[in-house]
Each structure stands twice: as C-alpha cells, then as structure tokens.
Amino acid sequence: MAASKLLASTLRKTLTTSSSFRRFSTAAAEAVAPASEPEDSMTIKGVKISARPLYLDMQATSPVDPRVLDAMLPYYLARYGNPHSRTHLFGWESDQAVETARSQIADLIGASPKEIVFTSGATESNNISVKGVMKFYKEKKRHVVTTQTEHKCVLDSCRHLQQEGFEVTYLPVGNDGIVDLEKLKGSIRPDTGLVSVMAVNNEIGVIQPMEEIGEICKELNVPFHTDAAQALGKIPIDVDKWNVSLMSLSGHKIYGPKGVGALYMRRRPRIRVEPQMNGGGQERGIRSGTVPTPLVVGMGAACELAKKEMEYDDKRIRALQERMLNGVRAKLDGVVVNGSVGRRYAGNLNLSFAYVEGESLLMGLKDVAVSSGSACTSASLEPSYVLRALGVDEDMAHTSIRFGIGRFTTEEEIDRAIELTVQQVEKLREMSPLYEMVKEGIDIKQIQWAQH
C-alpha cells in the first residue's frame, strides 16, 4: 500500500513538473538538438543536418493527420478498456469503437464490416493471405501466380511456400511496369490456388489493371489477392468491381498510425485461410491477439477522411507532381520517369538521372527526405529489383530517386526540392567523366571498355 502511494505521488510530481510535461507532450515530437549545437542544426547517424529536411517520402510512411490523432487520444487516456472485455463499460465502449472503425474501413472499399479483419499491418495481411490460403487448400492447390514487382513480403512469402514444396510463377512486367494479361491468364493452372498482384506499386506508383485481372480470376475460379497498401485512400477501390477475394491494407500509408492494418476477406464466395498466429481466437480466429483500440480507431478515422477528401487530394497532388516533374526537366536533361506515365498514382514520382550515382545523390540531398526505393529494402546497395524487372539499365536503376508527394506537401516544398535536386545533379555531373563524354557527342554505349 505504501509503495503504491509513493508511486502515485512520484507520478503526480513528474506530470506536474513543467519540464517533464513538455518532454512527454505531443509538441515534443520534434527532435531536440544537443545543447552544444546551434538550435537550427542537428547531427544524427553521423550526418550533420542544418535543419529538419523537407519530407517527400510518403510511400514509406505518412504523417498522422491531426484529426486522426484527435480521434485516437481518448482511447489512450480515458476509454482504455480492452475491446474483448465483455463485463463492463470500458470493454463495451472500446468494442463499439473497434466496430465503428471496421465499418469506416469497409465503407472505403465497398465491403461489409464483417469482411474486415484487423492485423498489425499490410505485411501481416500479406502473409496471412499468401501462406494462409495455400496452406488451407494444400491438398488440391499447389501453385501460386504473382509478379516480379511485388512487395518483398509477398515475394518472401512465396519463397517460403516454395521451400515447402509449392510452385510459384513470377510473371514479368512490361517496360511500363504493367503485367501482361495474356501471360497472366496463360500461367493459371488447374492447381493454382492464388493469384497475387499489387494494386499500386510502392516503388514506381504503377496502377495494375485490377478489374481485368479480377475478371480473369473469376472466369477461371481462382482466388485473387491484392496488396492495396499504396492504393487505399489514393484511388477508388471497389472489392466487387475488382473481384478480389483478399486485400491487404495499412494504416500508416493513409495518414493513420503505424502498427495497424487490415485484411479484407470475401464472405460470398467465402475464402478460407489457415491462421498464422495462435492465441485467444480474436478476429474470428484468423488473427489472435488483443485488438489495439487506439490504433484501430485511428485507421478508421483516416479511412473516413480519405473517402471525403480523395478527389480533392488527388487533384492537388497531381498538380504538385506536374510542378515537380516540369521543374526538374526544365533545368536538367537525361531525366527519365520510371514506370507508366498514364497508369500511375500521382503522388509517386520515381525518376532516374543519367550519369549520376544514386547513393551520392541521396547523400547530397540530405535536406530533402527521399528514398531510392522501398523503405523495406533501402539498406541494400543493389539496384532496385522492381526497376530491373522493368528492364531499366543497371546504371540508370542505380540513379533512381522516389519523390513521394502527399496531403500536406506544399508548393514551396516542391520548389525547394526542385532547386536542391537540380543543384546536386549538376554538381555530380560536373565530376562525371561520362557526362563530359556525352556532351562531346561520344556514344558511351559503343565504347569497348578494357579490363585491367
């Protein structure tokens, strides 16, 4: 008893001390610079940065919309009950909040709330879909069809199945990143248990022909799964028009919190999966574990906002993308857009800069937060497997930069990003002997390089 009183007293003192309160307040989300450095500079991971960089990496993650945070906070501070507690108000109100969020997500994709299963994110949803379906139907179905440009978690799930004796067809894509529908149809066999194709590619933003793929799968009676993490809230989704059986969704790509996702599972005709996690049987036994009410509420609120603002966001983001591309191309030659120009999500602009080494360009652009591809594989120095699948030359694949534009991106940020990118590319090209040779009219592809 005395210990608990002491703890309570200490906690009250901590919370009422102004300096401590500031440390734990939401306003303290920004990194605090060491006292020895100027207020507007910081050093992190050995890199000195003059100020917080512009954020243009929306495919990696998006900031939480303040309206989403407002919806979440009560479920951290006052309504903190376990949604699976059935005997008191705290559990009831959390359960009600979870079901509201389930309805908000279902509404955005044209589904029934009963078809939404909460997970920790799109990676878990993809694992449940690919491995769960094939293991459930393993007696009759031993073959999966997917594409070479899928997210790494889908490709790794397929490789895991191959180690267990399943067969996988990895379909190539065209130079524009779009899958060939005839090749897709021709690859489906009587023992094919799943077709998995990503709706919007995370690296190049290409939108696959989802309705046509769905028609093929419906005609041949094969379940169709799509990783729609990059599509949710960005492009219109209708699970019936797409004829998907399973769809993986993520919260933090649509201005919601990290650590929460969802899996759409069609009820008619019903799709079955083998659970990949054992436990208390929550989420109809498909995904055991306590549903995190604040995170789920945040994802639901983000989906509701996305439905209301999708058209406005798309128009605005499209204008910013055009401003970015035109601004860069007006000052630099040798700039290539990777992936289809006509069939892509406007917020993803993946560019390659000829005669520039990508890692050097990234390091030089430390005042702009961008990436060279998927955040899940950005530690690798290998050129992007997605760009290689498009047939992009290795030297150009090494020079790719993905600019991610979102709801809170401003024209001023785009203009500054153009200025910094142009400066850095020009600086690196000045040091490139290859660029000097090209300017002199030499076709470097015809040169026979001698080995020493």
Side-chain angles (χ1 to χ4, degrees):
M1 189 70 176
S4 64
K5 283 184 177 178
L6 179 62
L7 179 62
S9 173
T10 305
L11 185 61
R12 274 195 300 273
K13 286 178 182 175
T14 303
L15 291 174
T16 52
T17 303
S18 60
S19 61
S20 300
F21 183 78
R22 281 198 301 274
R23 192 178 302 133
F24 291 108
S25 71
T26 54
E30 294 190 20
V32 179
S36 58
E37 295 186 358
E39 282 185 19
D40 59 348
S41 70
M42 64 185 80
T43 301
I44 187 164
K45 293 204 171 185
V47 179
K48 189 167 184 178
I49 303 171
S50 59
R52 290 187 69 78
L54 311 177
Y55 188 77
L56 291 177
D57 200 14
M58 292 292 176
Q59 279 69 49
T61 194
S62 60
V64 173
D65 191 299
R67 295 166 292 181
V68 169
L69 182 61
D70 286 344
M72 292 170 63
L73 284 175
Y75 296 93
Y76 278 120
L77 302 173
R79 303 172 187 173
Y80 43 76
N82 186 320
H84 313 295
S85 297
R86 306 296 187 197
T87 58
H88 51 69
L89 174 66
F90 287 87
W92 300 335
E93 62 188 5
S94 286
D95 179 56
Q96 187 177 43
V98 167
E99 295 312 312
T100 298
R102 204 185 302 273
S103 297
Q104 290 167 322
I105 296 165
D107 190 44
L108 183 56
I109 62 172
S112 162
K114 294 178 180 178
E115 296 175 309
I116 303 298
V117 174
F118 287 113
T119 66
S120 63
T123 291
E124 185 181 3
S125 297
N126 284 335
N127 273 263
I128 294 171
S129 299
V130 176
K131 293 190 278 193
V133 166
M134 295 309 296
K135 289 183 179 180
F136 188 89
Y137 297 104
K138 63 185 175 184
E139 300 303 323
K140 295 181 180 179
K141 304 295 183 180
R142 307 290 299 175
H143 178 236
V144 178
V145 176
T146 189
T147 75
Q148 295 175 2
T149 56
E150 293 300 300
H151 191 278
K152 197 170 186 299
C153 64
V154 169
L155 297 177
D156 279 4
S157 293
C158 288
R159 291 189 189 103
H160 174 85
L161 289 175
Q162 285 180 289
Q163 291 171 358
E164 296 192 356
F166 292 87
E167 292 181 63
V168 181
T169 298
Y170 299 96
L171 291 171
V173 295
N175 293 336
D176 57 1
I178 305 294
V179 68
D180 186 312
L181 294 175
E182 288 304 313
K183 287 182 181 177
L184 172 68
K185 189 172 184 177
S187 67
I188 295 175
R189 312 183 323 205
D191 67 338
T192 301
L194 189 71
V195 170
S196 181
V197 179
M198 186 190 293
V200 174
N201 188 272
N202 56 308
E203 287 198 31
I204 55 176
V206 165
I207 303 172
Q208 296 292 350
M210 300 302 292
E211 290 187 36
E212 291 86 343
I213 296 170
E215 278 299 316
I216 292 171
C217 293
K218 186 176 183 179
E219 179 189 336
L220 299 176
N221 197 30
V222 178
F224 176 27
H225 163 254
T226 184
D227 175 356
Q230 298 287 348
L232 184 69
K234 316 284 177 57
I235 64 172
I237 296 176
D238 188 315
V239 294
D240 290 328
K241 283 184 180 178
W242 287 12
N243 192 50
V244 289
S245 302
L246 303 120
M247 181 185 290
S248 302
L249 308 170
S250 175
H252 74 103
K253 309 293 189 185
I254 54 164
Y255 313 98
K258 296 171 183 65
V260 66
L263 174 62
Y264 161 78
M265 292 183 62
R266 185 175 289 278
R267 286 167 67 87
R268 292 186 182 85
R270 189 179 182 190
I271 186 73
R272 304 288 296 276
V273 298
E274 181 181 287
Q276 300 300 294
M277 187 182 296
N278 304 111
Q282 292 91 342
E283 295 300 281
R284 305 199 308 277
I286 294 161
R287 203 285 184 183
S288 291
T290 302
V291 172
T293 309
L295 301 183
V296 162
V297 166
M299 184 173 180
C303 286
E304 186 176 279
L305 286 169
K307 184 168 185 181
K308 291 176 183 175
E309 301 183 3
M310 191 188 306
E311 189 177 338
Y312 173 81
D313 282 351
D314 181 66
K315 184 178 178 182
R316 187 173 170 279
I317 289 169
R318 199 171 292 277
L320 291 175
Q321 186 234 50
E322 289 176 7
R323 188 185 187 98
M324 179 89 199
L325 182 58
N326 293 339
V328 169
R329 279 184 162 167
K331 298 178 181 178
L332 295 173
D333 58 359
V335 178
V336 177
V337 178
N338 293 308
S340 170
V341 176
R343 289 189 60 93
R344 73 185 299 127
Y345 165 59
N348 183 322
L349 185 60
N350 191 306
L351 301 178
S352 284
F353 299 87
Y355 322 113
V356 170
E357 209 286 310
E359 294 298 320
S360 300
L361 181 54
L362 270 180
M363 290 305 295
L365 284 175
K366 57 189 179 182
D367 288 329
V368 185
V370 289
S371 72
S372 57
S374 169
C376 304
T377 56
S378 62
S380 170
L381 293 178
E382 291 294 311
S384 160
Y385 68 88
V386 172
L387 296 183
R388 284 203 307 246
L390 267 63
V392 176
D393 290 341
E394 188 162 324
D395 57 342
M396 287 296 277
H398 266 299
T399 71
S400 71
I401 297 289
R402 183 185 66 186
F403 297 90
I405 302 165
R407 181 180 292 167
F408 302 115
T409 308
T410 65
E411 289 184 352
E412 291 76 17
E413 287 176 322
I414 293 295
D415 292 343
R416 180 64 175 152
I418 293 168
E419 179 188 344
L420 293 170
T421 302
V422 169
Q423 282 177 6
Q424 195 60 28
V425 170
E426 288 178 340
K427 177 182 174 184
L428 292 172
R429 282 180 175 175
E430 282 176 12
M431 299 185 286
S432 169
L434 291 178
Y435 189 60
E436 284 295 319
M437 293 165 73
V438 169
K439 284 201 296 185
E440 290 169 9
I442 300 170
D443 186 352
I444 60 174
K445 289 189 177 180
Q446 301 301 318
I447 297 174
Q448 298 293 317
W449 300 99
Q451 292 187 347
H452 294 281

